[in-house]
Amino acid sequence: MKYLKYILFFIIGMVLLMMMVVAFMFGTDGNDPYDNPISEEMIPVFKEIPLGFTHQFNKDKSLPVTASCLIDVDNDGTDELFLGGGLEQQDELFSFKDGAFRSVGKSFGLPVKEGVSTLAAASADFDNNGFSDLIISREDGVTIYYNSGTVFSPKKVEYTMASDATPLGFAIGDINKDGFLDIFLSNYIRKAQMQGQNNFTADYGPADQLLMNNGDNTFSDVTRQAGLYYEHNTFMGVFVDIDNDGSLDLIVAHDTGEVRSYKNKGDGTFNMMPNPTTGKFGYPMGIAVGDYNNDGLVDFMFSNTGSTVPHFMASGNIEDKSLFNSDWFFFENKGNFVFEDVAGKVKVKDFEFSWGAVFADMNNDGLQDLMVAENYVALPPHKIFKLPGRMLIQKEDHTFGATEDESKVVNKHYGITPLVTDFNQDGYQDLVWVNIDGPVNAFLNEGGDNNYLQLTFPENFENIGAKVKVVTSSGKTITEDYVIGEGLVSDQSATVHFGLGKDDIKSIQITYIDGRTQNLDDVKINARTMVPKMVVLAQQTTDNETE
């Protein structure tokens, strides 16, 4: 009995010590790991506005994500906000009018669902009628809501879904240049078949699927023929021209695995190319896409578990722990599919557990900033110790500094992704934190006096993947790619936004994936300009006549 008492005291002491260690670690995890202050005039400031949507999460039956999408349903120039509902919760569509959000799902015929979670969403014009359609994934498959401009008409996408697969994120684009939109579908293992969330087994999870459009918005699974077959859990991928050769390449975030980068050979088939994560392990989940240093080459940031979870826990069943990297990844594109992970150099490497991420210029200075959602609904310490969600402003030296407190956008909820658009059309981009198992929060940017340019693309096969180069009056070059699916199980605005600082515009050139280029003349600054389909087609006719 004497020794039993000592053993009991020892066990209690160890438990208390572990609780103190966990409390200290998670209580300080949200601290900024870098001393990289941002000058006051560079910090965007936001004001929270009511939205009125609280996500309902079923932890026993649903994966810990939720769908969101920005879509201009009626082509009035202002994005609507689509939010996916939980297992027993309806989806919602919100319109921003007169300084407030209001629900408009019923007026657009948003279909009622039963007993499934809406997990991912994106918008694109599949039937080429001039209105953006809505594509969504749920546990029972994929549905396209075709948009007539006044009402949605749902149609299920017919394809073979593996018995262990839950469809998640979408990459969308015309990868073989046949004039029809194709779908890369990221698949994740079904909730009921999970064997642990740090399982790094090579074939753990279902294979993703490349669904090639047959020309009538029916689809064929050509994953193996295209060179993309790989069995592993996946959150998302993005089609984007990585090497500026005019074809849509593919970059994919494989959870408990690596980032995979694929070069399009020009015919819709792909070669896998090495990158800094090849043959290694991590938790890449969300993908931010943008040319952060304006060198004309698209760069990527990938979320990860970061500093939150100790390596011995996060690395799971990996035998060689040196192959595991929990840091945020930041791929600087050096050209020809050569990437350097510069996360340390740009001062984002050592942040915490993260989900969706988005590049966007929030202060209109011509440099893309970085917004990153944080907190994990299934991590017990995050019930008490919430991370802030990161607003990282880019400086002239291409490093990033955290300003979420000063910007008044702290998000101590279970963030899945940021969404960015200019709801009130004042030229400064606003922010939505899409949260699971809690309220979705919206913030209006209070703006400033920098100039801007906004170009809105019809979301059709011709425009997706277009590259825009803006040269300002001072000679600064700013470049952007128009892509579908940036963030995490979400989709950003079809309006491409450029902050100009105090500059005017010298030239604007758009390069499309079919090789055509278009110069936009007489475009006014501090305004939104629609890039109409007929302008693109007129350029095509000119090119054909020249040939």
Side-chain angles (χ1 to χ4, degrees):
M1 292 294 294
K2 176 182 177 181
Y3 293 109
L4 183 60
K5 182 172 69 173
Y6 289 136
I7 292 172
L8 183 60
F9 282 147
F10 176 78
I11 292 173
I12 293 173
M14 290 302 295
V15 170
L16 290 173
L17 178 62
M18 289 180 64
M19 291 176 63
M20 291 173 62
V21 169
V22 169
F24 176 79
M25 182 176 69
F26 285 93
T28 59
D29 195 42
N31 295 338
D32 186 352
Y34 298 99
D35 182 18
N36 194 30
I38 303 295
S39 60
E40 184 177 352
E41 65 272 12
M42 290 178 60
I43 298 175
V45 178
F46 295 77
K47 179 181 180 180
E48 186 171 1
I49 54 173
L51 180 55
F53 182 87
T54 297
H55 181 267
Q56 300 170 16
F57 176 56
N58 187 310
K59 64 182 179 62
D60 297 318
K61 297 182 179 180
S62 302
L63 292 174
V65 293
T66 187
S68 61
C69 178
L70 292 166
I71 173 174
D72 186 357
V73 178
D74 50 6
N75 287 352
D76 69 348
T78 302
D79 289 318
E80 278 72 43
L81 171 62
F82 173 82
L83 296 171
L87 194 70
E88 302 297 338
Q89 180 185 23
Q90 294 306 313
D91 303 329
E92 282 282 6
L93 185 71
F94 290 93
S95 176
F96 187 83
K97 301 288 184 185
D98 300 321
F101 287 99
R102 58 188 180 92
S103 176
V104 295
K106 289 183 179 180
S107 63
F108 281 100
L110 196 66
V112 174
K113 68 180 182 68
E114 293 183 3
V116 284
S117 306
T118 305
L119 301 170
S123 65
D125 186 0
F126 282 91
D127 56 5
N128 209 33
N129 71 342
F131 292 97
S132 295
D133 308 309
L134 182 66
I135 182 170
I136 62 172
S137 66
R138 301 186 178 112
E139 291 93 345
D140 62 351
V142 175
T143 302
I144 298 176
Y145 291 179
Y146 289 95
N147 178 15
S148 68
T150 57
V151 67
F152 287 114
S153 300
K155 183 179 181 182
K156 203 77 174 285
V157 175
E158 300 296 333
Y159 73 101
T160 300
M161 183 168 63
S163 60
D164 64 342
T166 302
L168 282 186
F170 305 104
I172 297 172
D174 182 6
I175 63 168
N176 59 350
K177 302 180 185 179
D178 65 350
F180 301 96
L181 290 176
D182 311 303
I183 304 167
F184 178 82
L185 180 61
S186 300
N187 285 319
Y188 207 93
I189 196 165
R190 286 188 172 271
K191 176 76 173 181
Q193 295 171 264
M194 283 186 175
Q195 302 171 14
Q197 303 218 348
N198 56 354
N199 190 326
F200 290 86
T201 306
D203 58 353
Y204 179 57
D208 301 322
Q209 292 169 280
L210 179 61
L211 304 179
M212 190 74 76
N213 198 318
N214 297 319
D216 56 0
N217 286 326
T218 65
F219 298 85
S220 298
D221 186 339
V222 298
T223 313
R224 291 185 184 273
Q225 303 94 300
L228 295 176
Y229 189 86
Y230 175 56
E231 293 183 26
H232 202 87
N233 274 341
T234 309
F235 276 114
M236 65 171 294
V238 176
F239 285 130
V240 61
D241 186 359
I242 292 173
D243 55 356
N244 291 351
D245 68 347
S247 293
L248 289 177
D249 307 304
L250 176 64
I251 195 143
V252 187
H254 293 291
D255 189 32
T256 66
E258 63 189 21
V259 173
R260 288 205 163 188
S261 42
Y262 294 94
K263 176 178 171 58
N264 189 336
K265 293 188 286 186
D267 57 1
T269 64
F270 296 81
N271 282 333
M272 192 176 82
M273 308 294 284
N275 65 61
T277 71
T278 301
K280 300 177 182 178
F281 302 92
Y283 293 86
M285 294 173 277
I287 307 177
V289 183
D291 183 5
Y292 88 103
N293 55 358
N294 288 320
D295 65 353
L297 298 167
V298 64
D299 310 300
F300 305 95
M301 178 269 171
F302 304 87
S303 60
N304 207 337
T305 55
S307 60
T308 296
V309 185
H311 273 220
F312 77 90
M313 293 174 58
S315 57
N317 61 346
I318 301 172
E319 292 185 8
D320 184 353
K321 303 298 185 183
S322 68
L323 296 177
F324 176 70
N325 185 357
S326 63
D327 299 329
W328 292 11
F329 306 139
F330 198 115
F331 286 6
E332 182 178 312
N333 189 344
K334 300 294 187 179
N336 298 316
F337 270 87
V338 176
F339 297 104
E340 179 186 355
D341 186 355
V342 297
K345 185 171 74 174
V346 302
K347 298 186 184 299
V348 303
K349 175 181 177 181
D350 297 323
F351 283 105
E352 323 86 350
F353 192 107
S354 53
W355 288 97
V358 172
F359 282 123
D361 186 354
M362 305 305 285
N363 56 7
N364 283 357
D365 67 348
L367 295 171
Q368 292 190 344
D369 309 305
L370 178 62
M371 280 61 63
V372 187
E374 297 181 324
N375 294 309
Y376 183 21
V377 70
L379 191 63
H382 280 175
K383 303 290 184 185
I384 304 172
F385 304 107
K386 295 287 201 309
L387 300 168
R390 294 298 182 180
M391 168 78 67
L392 302 173
I393 300 301
Q394 187 181 172
K395 300 168 70 172
E396 288 288 342
D397 63 0
H398 299 307
T399 63
F400 292 81
T403 71
E404 55 279 347
D405 285 303
E406 298 92 334
S407 294
K408 301 180 181 178
V409 292
V410 169
N411 183 53
K412 293 199 173 183
H413 299 281
Y414 301 113
I416 296 300
T417 194
L419 295 177
V420 175
T421 187
D422 184 5
F423 283 116
N424 59 356
Q425 301 291 295
D426 68 348
Y428 276 77
Q429 299 196 90
D430 308 309
L431 173 68
V432 175
W433 288 120
V434 179
N435 299 316
I436 193 171
D437 199 29
V440 174
N441 291 338
F443 299 85
L444 286 186
N445 194 328
E446 295 191 344
D449 57 3
N450 282 340
N451 295 325
Y452 69 93
L453 166 70
Q454 293 176 345
L455 300 176
T456 300
F457 285 91
E459 296 196 283
N460 57 41
F461 70 94
E462 294 173 300
N463 295 324
I464 296 172
K467 291 179 177 288
V468 186
K469 181 173 73 172
V470 174
V471 179
T472 73
S473 55
S474 68
K476 180 188 296 183
T477 298
I478 308 170
T479 64
E480 266 276 28
D481 291 74
Y482 168 45
V483 300
I484 302 289
E486 182 184 7
L488 179 63
V489 295
S490 63
D491 189 20
Q492 305 297 319
S493 178
T495 296
V496 181
H497 180 99
F498 297 85
L500 302 173
K502 306 303 180 187
D503 284 1
D504 203 331
I505 301 168
K506 183 177 180 182
S507 65
I508 304 170
Q509 184 178 78
I510 304 172
T511 302
Y512 299 92
I513 61 170
D514 62 4
R516 291 175 292 116
T517 60
Q518 179 184 20
N519 295 312
L520 298 184
D521 300 319
D522 301 322
V523 174
K524 296 180 179 179
I525 63 170
N526 300 330
R528 185 183 70 91
T529 298
M530 188 73 181
V531 182
K533 183 177 180 180
M534 63 179 182
V535 172
V536 177
L537 292 178
Q539 179 68 33
Q540 184 179 34
T541 301
T542 302
D543 289 346
N544 291 338
E545 290 175 352
T546 302
E547 292 174 2

